[in-house]
Amino acid sequence: MSLLLLYKALHVFFMVAWFAGIFYLPRLFVYHAETSSADCDATFKVMERRLLYFVTPFALLTLVFGVLLIIAYGKAWFAASSWLHIKLLLVLLLYVYHGWCFKLLADFKHNRNQHSSRFYRIFNELPVLLLLAIILLAILKPPLY
């Protein structure tokens, strides 16, 4: 078994685990924004915090194995892979999104949420669209420039 294939398998595994959480967390935010019950509010705060802290290591390990893949493929491959440059920009947006989730979590924690459940429903769709574009780029590898 080659290291390259191991890196690729672990990169995909941790990405799937990360996305399981990153898809569910904003859904919790939707329900949290809709609740007026103090008991439910407290429960959502715990669930959101635990979920975000649970999936964050998966986000970091996705990054680690992605970087190892780039190193394993080499500089010439990286320079010639224009699709990868676009993919990396989209991945950067996902990490910004992930960081934004920490800010939203803090807002709920301190009872400062200013967003409606509709906002969170739309917010919930952003990683879906980014993931679709990233997968299309990674599988199709279109020559972009």
Side-chain angles (χ1 to χ4, degrees):
M1 172 175 52
S2 75
L3 270 178
L4 181 74
L5 291 177
L6 180 62
Y7 295 159
K8 192 179 289 190
L10 290 172
H11 177 68
V12 170
F13 171 78
F14 288 118
M15 182 272 303
V16 169
W18 176 29
F19 269 88
I22 217 69
F23 286 158
Y24 186 53
L25 181 64
R27 182 57 43 187
L28 289 176
F29 290 159
V30 168
Y31 301 140
H32 196 167
E34 291 176 345
T35 190
S36 57
S37 163
D39 289 341
C40 287
D41 179 68
T43 300
F44 280 123
K45 287 176 182 177
V46 170
M47 290 173 66
E48 292 157 356
R49 179 182 46 79
R50 286 182 179 170
L51 180 59
L52 187 54
Y53 282 93
F54 178 73
V55 300
T56 296
F58 299 143
L60 297 174
L61 288 166
T62 299
L63 179 64
V64 166
F65 286 103
V67 169
L68 287 173
L69 275 171
I70 291 170
I71 291 168
Y73 274 109
K75 289 179 186 177
W77 172 82
F78 180 78
S81 300
S82 57
W83 63 269
L84 180 60
H85 304 154
I86 304 302
K87 177 192 171 203
L88 291 175
L89 286 173
L90 296 175
V91 168
L92 179 62
L93 288 175
L94 282 170
Y95 282 98
V96 168
Y97 180 94
H98 190 97
W100 193 4
C101 286
F102 275 100
K103 193 257 187 242
L104 296 170
L105 182 76
D107 287 346
F108 276 115
K109 177 183 178 182
H110 298 294
N111 300 314
R112 297 186 309 235
N113 176 48
Q114 299 295 315
H115 301 292
S116 68
S117 61
R118 179 172 162 76
F119 167 84
Y120 289 112
R121 288 178 198 282
I122 294 167
F123 183 74
N124 194 172
E125 300 306 321
L126 296 175
V128 174
L129 298 173
L130 288 171
L131 180 60
L132 175 61
I134 288 167
I135 288 174
L136 289 173
L137 287 167
I139 299 298
L140 301 176
K141 297 176 178 42
L144 299 171
Y145 52 85

